[in-house]
Amino acid sequence: THTLTRTMSERKDLALAIGAGFAAGVIGAGLVSAFLGRARGKGKRVAVVLSGCGVYDGSEITEAVAVLVAASKHGAVATCFAPAMAQRHVVDHSTGDLILAPPLAHRDARAEAARIARGDVRDIATLSASDFDCLVFPGGFGVAKNLSNFGTAGPSCVVLDDAARAIRAFHQAGKPIGFTCIAPVLAARVIKGVTVTLGRSEGADDAEWPYRGVAGAAAAMGADVVEADVDAVVVDKANKVVTTPAYMKKASPDLVFDGVSKCVATVLAMA
């Protein structure tokens, strides 16, 4: 199979070969899916914007890793970016307690994000839409604390200049953008009338959807907010924006991973 994929240069021939193998029972359905998925994203360049490391003061780690794994699985090349700035807060993740706040919160969001990216994180100020095919923002409280001030200002929030610039540049270039978890609030603020999901809100159980009030804030910013479950994606075809609830729901990691993977796959298919 590996020899076959290396020697076939035309996608049509590859599809016919895989189809024949599947019909003969030599190639399983999962492998067929993997081949087709990798063909969709092969060589595409994905910019991933992180906001630190850790759900309470930076990027949500499961979501960020899911984005990177999904991009790699589909044959895309991911490059991570983060703001070179002091985090708004430093939180003890074992208790949820605030350890440091300005002016004492000296942890740099980019340096912290490097923990997820294995060291290679570029300054978001250098991010250019012309260098990439698509853009993805994983969630985490860093979205509301470092990439914006949504955590304190709610629907009156301001998005970090470099993050807003990147979103506008990709949007204006017609390049798709993915947002997971709470990150769709950035889209709500920057892209007028965008359609997003932040999970479930109306009639939802607070214990299951602890952040369900965020949907109302996004709607107040002018977004069309659609209800969806943790492993679903919502696609705004006109704006080329793809969103998934992820940890807006108190869910298991596998379901979050599934939703984020679908988000990335959809973004790559639109790129």
Side-chain angles (χ1 to χ4, degrees):
T1 300
H2 291 292
T3 302
L4 177 65
T5 59
R6 284 196 299 269
T7 58
M8 291 289 186
S9 59
E10 298 294 330
R11 185 176 297 180
K12 180 179 178 181
D13 293 339
L14 177 59
L16 288 172
I18 293 174
F22 179 65
V26 177
I27 299 176
L31 189 53
V32 171
S33 176
F35 273 127
L36 296 179
R38 196 165 186 84
R40 274 200 305 272
K42 187 171 179 58
K44 290 180 179 175
R45 303 158 300 169
V46 186
V48 180
V49 177
L50 304 176
S51 57
C53 180
V55 57
Y56 297 127
D57 55 20
S59 289
E60 208 297 316
I61 296 172
T62 301
E63 295 178 28
V65 171
V67 168
L68 299 177
V69 171
S72 178
K73 183 177 180 180
H74 289 289
V77 179
T79 302
C80 292
F81 293 84
M85 59 176 284
Q87 294 183 174
R88 178 170 181 80
H89 290 154
V90 178
V91 176
D92 182 340
H93 280 64
S94 69
T95 63
D97 294 336
L98 182 65
I99 301 175
L100 296 172
L104 301 177
H106 293 308
R107 290 194 184 181
D108 183 87
R110 181 184 171 198
E112 292 297 299
R115 297 174 183 271
I116 296 173
R118 297 176 61 84
D120 187 12
V121 179
R122 302 179 187 179
D123 188 339
I124 192 175
T126 68
L127 174 55
S128 173
S130 63
D131 294 333
F132 296 91
D133 300 299
C134 51
L135 176 65
V136 180
F137 286 83
F141 279 61
V143 168
K145 294 180 177 183
N146 303 327
L147 297 183
S148 74
N149 64 345
F150 180 81
T152 55
S156 299
C157 70
V158 175
V159 177
L160 184 73
D161 284 347
D162 286 325
R165 175 187 53 79
I167 294 169
R168 290 193 187 97
F170 277 81
H171 181 248
Q172 290 169 3
K175 296 182 177 183
I177 312 173
F179 300 88
T180 78
C181 195
I182 196 173
V185 300
L186 303 177
R189 170 52 68 205
V190 176
I191 303 174
K192 185 177 180 180
V194 68
T195 297
V196 300
T197 187
L198 286 146
R200 301 200 184 281
S201 57
E202 294 185 14
D205 182 356
D206 286 342
E208 189 175 31
W209 294 93
Y211 311 111
R212 66 189 187 94
V214 175
M221 288 189 276
D224 178 15
V225 183
V226 177
E227 302 263 314
D229 208 348
V230 59
D231 56 349
V233 296
V234 168
V235 181
D236 181 336
K237 292 182 179 179
N239 287 303
K240 289 193 173 183
V241 168
V242 185
T243 53
T244 188
Y247 274 121
M248 294 301 285
K249 183 179 185 178
K250 190 175 182 180
S252 59
D254 62 309
L255 292 178
V256 171
F257 189 90
D258 287 348
V260 174
S261 296
K262 289 177 188 176
C263 179
V264 173
T266 304
V267 166
L268 288 172
M270 296 172 72

